[in-house]
């Protein structure tokens, strides 16, 4: 579904992604794990066309998207729930969700809003409240709901569990599996490697911009190096 | 006092229009838009020229001025700002300043630098009211100007809260990159923003032309006051700019009864500096704590 081939991304002199190759198949949950500054966010931003690789290529459903503007990438069916949520604090919860459907032209938007309120009942109670007044966990739900409103085929999630209380973390990971079961393919970036590997089919380990290891999630979870570096055992 | 407040409201509405046009561009592009005053001047002249040459009524002139204000703002963005958008902020700042001086002087060459007044397009009658011991006089022009500003603001409010494009504009002033992740074409959004900003500036130009003399240099002070009002309202905040504009108009008028009217123009900047010192987020400034 998504093929990333030998990309390199730079911030000025910083070589943030080094010859990275990875792919995501239809229906999978794939996770990218790595320490702070490994380049996880950079990869997701590059997929969305917010950053560019002078080499290699990115294809989605067989079509080259490496040089597409972000709007057209969203239109093709990829959505990113960014690191730090990035909800619009001075818009209402409902308006945040509606904006998620900006690229859609069909008339089922309000129907999907109701679906989001079912998936995240906390948002339903707060639909006319300013998003900036929500708690951290609610903001994460809103960011995910907003991402889903574009009806993506592939959903990119950047550290959805960051800074959340343990109960909420479990809930968010449950929701991710639910979303995947509904047919949405997922590329999940996490520092919480244990939980990410527990729900993923496959995973990649990123170190200083390089993919150093890849494999089935359960294999990675039992790999000695991964256990030492990311699972604290 | 009540008389001063009434006098101040018409001008304050115009300040609000200028400031909203200024603040939407700042909110979304992060640009100190020096050319906004020039767009206002172009609006005033477009209105003047169309009234003197074609003898159209005020409302036609208003529409024409809004169109040219929007067009000029759009062209400035396309020609001067867009090529530099990803460049350093300082380059953009200097370009904006340069473009403003260029347009101002070009206008002075084309239209001659002297000031002129709109012909009286319709009767400006004066109404008087007796309120207890005070007599209020109201110029019908002031009422019309204030009404026009209110209609424009109401329309703008509808646009930003009820349409998808308007919501995207509001969102863009909070997080432009996140807006692009919603599938919004950011170039298109910025184009619309400059059109809206220019139309508001152009409208303000005509409204001022009805009350005061116009000249090619008039944009300089208007642009600065727009900035000051935007700061008072909280930069990027449209509702803040509305309130702050009205407030400045009223304060300016009241102050002329206490201090020399020669200092009138300075008041805006005293208020701006005071705002920056006392409450940098402005009247309507928002500050949400980062939630974890
Ligand atoms: N805007 C930027 N300018 C310069 N360098 C940057 C920028 N953004 C990221 N970097 C650098 O690129 C590298 C990769 O950053 P990235 O944000 O992709 O890491 P990450 O794996 O997402 O980290 P984290 O887990 O902390 O979110 C880091 O060394 C970082 O310092
Ligand atoms: Mg990151």
């Amino acid at each position: 579904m998504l093929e990333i081939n030998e990309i390199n991304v730079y911030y000025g002199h910083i070589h943030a992604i080094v010859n990275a190759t990875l792919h995501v198949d239809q229906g999978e949950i794939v996770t990218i794990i790595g320490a702070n500054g490994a380049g996880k966010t950079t990869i997701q931003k590059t997929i969305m066309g917010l950053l560019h690789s002078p080499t290699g290529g990115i294809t989605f459903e067989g079509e080259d998207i490496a040089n597409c503007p972000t709007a057209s990438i969203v239109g093709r069916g990829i959505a990113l729930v960014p690191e730090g949520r990035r909800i619009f604090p001075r818009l209402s919860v409902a308006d945040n969700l509606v904006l998620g459907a900006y690229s859609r032209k069909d008339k089922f938007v309000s129907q999907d809003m109701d679906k989001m309120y079912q998936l995240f009942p906390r948002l339903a109670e707060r639909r006319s409240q300013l998003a900036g007044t929500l708690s951290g966990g609610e903001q994460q739900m809103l960011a995910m709901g907003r991402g889903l409103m574009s009806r993506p085929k592939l959903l990119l999630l950047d550290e959805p569990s960051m800074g959340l209380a343990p109960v909420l973390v479990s809930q968010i990971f449950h929701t991710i599996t639910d979303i995947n079961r509904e047919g949405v393919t997922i590329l999940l970036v996490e520092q919480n490697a244990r939980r990410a590997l527990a729900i993923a089919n496959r995973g990649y380990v990123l170190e200083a911009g390089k993919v150093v290891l890849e494999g089935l999630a359960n294999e990675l979870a039992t790999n000695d190096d991964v256990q030492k570096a990311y699972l604290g055992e | 006092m009540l008389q001063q407040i009434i006098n101040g409201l018409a001008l304050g509405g115009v300040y609000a229009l200028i400031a909203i046009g200024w603040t939407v561009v700042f909110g979304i592009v992060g640009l100190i838009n020096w050319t906004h005053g020039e767009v206002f001047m172009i609006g005033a002249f477009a209105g003047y020229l169309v009234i003197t040459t074609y003898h159209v009524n005020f409302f036609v002139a208003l529409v024409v001025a809004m169109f040219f204000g929007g067009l000029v703002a759009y062209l400035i963005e396309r020609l001067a700002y867009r090529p530099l958008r990803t460049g350093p902020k300082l380059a953009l700042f200097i370009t904006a300043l340069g473009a403003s001086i260029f347009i101002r002087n070009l206008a002075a060459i084309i239209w001659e630098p002297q000031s002129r007044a709109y012909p009286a397009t319709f009767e400006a009658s004066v109404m008087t009211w007796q309120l207890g011991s005070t007599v209020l006089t109201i110029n019908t022009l002031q009422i019309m100007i204030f009404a026009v500003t209110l209609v424009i603001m109401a329309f703008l409010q509808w646009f930003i809260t009820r349409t998808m494009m308007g919501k995207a504009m509001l969102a863009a002033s909070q997080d432009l990159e996140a807006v692009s992740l919603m599938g919004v074409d950011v170039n298109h959004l910025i184009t619309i923003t400059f059109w809206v900003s220019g139309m508001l500036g152009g409208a303000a130009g005509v409204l001022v032309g009805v009350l005061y003399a116009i000249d090619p240099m008039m944009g300089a002070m208007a642009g600065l006051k727009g900035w000051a009002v935007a700061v008072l309202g909280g930069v990027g905040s449209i509702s803040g700019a509305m309130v702050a504009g009205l407030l400045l108009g009223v304060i300016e008028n009241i102050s002329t009864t206490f201090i020399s009217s020669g200092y009138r123009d300075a008041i805006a900047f005293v208020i701006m500096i005071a705002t920056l010192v006392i409450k940098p987020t402005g009247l309507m400034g928002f500050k949400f704590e980062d939630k974890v």
Side-chain angles (χ1 to χ4, degrees):
Chain A
M1 181 181 225
L2 179 78
E3 310 269 348
I4 300 176
N5 191 19
E6 299 261 314
I7 58 165
N8 285 278
V9 185
Y10 302 84
Y11 294 103
H13 304 294
I14 301 170
H15 194 171
I17 298 297
V18 185
N19 277 327
T21 297
L22 48 124
H23 69 98
V24 181
D25 293 332
Q26 173 100 39
E28 281 189 307
I29 298 182
V30 174
T31 182
I32 303 177
I33 56 178
N36 285 116
K40 306 178 296 293
T41 299
T42 305
I43 288 188
Q44 291 203 329
K45 283 190 167 182
T46 311
I47 297 170
M48 294 313 294
L50 297 172
L51 296 169
H52 295 279
S53 163
T55 63
I58 304 177
T59 63
F60 180 63
E61 297 185 316
E63 287 177 59
D64 179 23
I65 56 163
N67 296 306
C68 285
T70 305
S72 111
I73 293 171
V74 175
R76 283 161 198 261
I78 310 182
L80 168 63
V81 179
E83 184 171 15
R85 296 134 201 172
R86 309 276 290 267
I87 46 127
F88 305 114
R90 280 174 276 142
L91 292 186
S92 68
V93 167
D95 279 348
N96 269 272
L97 289 177
V98 160
L99 276 174
Y102 189 92
S103 59
R104 286 170 54 180
K105 285 171 188 64
D106 60 279
K107 40 189 187 303
F108 302 109
V109 173
S110 60
Q111 204 171 305
D112 280 7
M113 296 269 285
D114 292 338
K115 257 194 181 165
M116 292 309 136
Y117 291 140
Q118 274 166 27
L119 189 61
F120 305 110
R122 299 280 288 267
L123 298 182
E125 300 157 25
R126 293 165 172 75
R127 63 182 82 188
S128 50
Q129 205 168 308
L130 291 186
T133 63
L134 297 180
S135 75
E138 290 160 353
Q139 290 191 6
Q140 184 59 47
M141 294 171 197
L142 179 59
M144 288 173 65
R146 188 183 63 174
L148 287 170
M149 282 301 290
S150 66
R151 286 200 173 174
K153 298 171 194 163
L154 172 63
L155 185 65
L156 314 182
L157 296 163
D158 195 346
E159 303 206 25
S161 74
M162 187 171 62
L164 299 185
V167 208
L168 279 172
V169 173
S170 305
Q171 196 184 330
I172 291 284
F173 277 98
H174 266 120
T175 311
I176 296 171
T177 3
D178 287 344
I179 294 168
N180 177 250
R181 225 173 276 136
E182 296 262 317
V184 182
T185 307
I186 287 177
L187 178 59
L188 169 68
V189 157
E190 261 300 335
Q191 285 206 37
N192 192 335
R194 184 190 310 277
R195 310 228 45 158
L197 288 172
I199 65 163
N201 303 100
R202 291 188 304 113
Y204 293 86
V205 179
L206 203 61
E207 260 171 36
K210 296 194 189 79
V211 175
V212 293
L213 205 59
E214 61 176 284
L216 294 174
N218 50 10
E219 286 172 15
L220 288 179
T222 52
N223 177 296
D224 282 347
D225 295 337
V226 174
Q227 290 200 332
K228 267 194 216 102
Y230 303 104
L231 303 175
E233 283 165 23
Chain B
M1 186 75 159
L2 194 55
Q3 178 72 55
Q4 308 296 2
I5 292 175
I6 290 169
N7 289 345
L9 282 179
L11 189 58
V14 175
Y15 286 156
L17 289 185
I18 299 173
I20 295 166
W22 190 96
T23 219
V24 289
V25 165
F26 185 86
I28 292 172
V29 194
L31 167 75
I32 302 219
N33 188 6
W34 290 104
T35 54
H36 192 55
E38 275 43 70
V39 167
F40 160 82
M41 178 271 293
I42 298 275
F45 271 84
Y48 174 80
L49 292 173
V50 74
I51 287 176
T52 50
T53 1
Y54 299 105
H55 309 288
V56 297
N57 71 28
F58 167 77
F59 293 100
V60 176
L62 179 69
V63 171
V64 170
M66 287 176 80
F67 172 77
F68 278 99
L71 181 68
V72 169
Y74 163 73
L75 289 175
I76 293 169
E77 195 273 328
R78 263 334 263 270
L79 302 176
Y81 300 155
R82 186 166 299 190
L84 292 171
R85 198 184 301 146
T86 52
K89 277 267 160 9
L90 186 63
L92 205 57
F93 181 87
I94 293 167
T95 305
L97 196 54
S100 151
I101 295 169
F102 172 77
I103 296 170
R104 200 181 296 165
N105 287 287
L106 188 68
I109 291 170
I110 297 173
W111 292 318
E112 317 271 294
Q114 80 271 18
S115 64
R116 64 207 81 191
Y118 276 39
T121 43
F122 59 99
E123 294 291 303
S125 57
V126 171
M127 301 188 289
T128 52
W129 271 304
Q130 184 85 35
L131 256 182
S133 60
T134 50
V135 182
L136 293 178
T137 57
I138 302 176
N139 184 328
T140 46
L141 279 180
Q142 286 178 323
I143 296 182
M144 184 193 67
I145 288 171
F146 192 58
V148 169
T149 1
L150 287 185
V151 169
I152 293 176
M153 284 188 202
F155 185 76
L156 185 74
Q157 195 66 34
W158 168 83
F159 173 71
I160 59 169
T161 56
R162 294 278 174 266
T163 69
M164 278 301 261
M165 179 54 80
K167 285 177 187 182
M169 269 177 67
L170 266 189
S173 70
Q174 302 168 36
D175 191 335
L176 189 59
E177 190 176 74
V179 166
S180 74
L181 289 173
M182 305 296 104
V184 179
D185 177 345
V186 169
N187 279 331
H188 181 60
L189 182 86
I190 290 176
T191 296
I192 304 276
T193 304
F194 272 86
W195 267 100
V196 169
S197 162
M199 285 165 70
L200 294 170
V206 171
L207 295 174
V208 160
V210 171
L211 285 182
Y212 304 95
I214 65 170
D215 72 84
M217 299 297 151
M218 69 194 283
M221 184 53 80
L224 287 173
K225 280 196 186 171
W227 184 1
V229 170
V231 168
L232 175 61
V235 277
S237 164
I238 292 174
S239 43
M242 288 183 187
V243 175
L246 293 174
L247 207 58
L248 178 65
V250 171
I251 293 175
E252 275 191 1
N253 258 287
I254 292 176
S255 69
T256 48
T257 56
F258 299 113
I259 51 178
S260 152
S261 60
Y263 292 113
R264 187 190 172 114
D265 283 339
I267 289 167
F269 307 107
V270 171
I271 293 176
M272 172 172 166
I273 292 165
T275 313
L276 289 174
V277 172
I278 300 164
K279 191 168 185 292
T281 50
L283 291 176
M284 304 270 171
F286 287 87
K287 186 99 184 69
F288 287 104
E289 300 153 51
D290 285 328
K291 298 252 168 70
V292 276

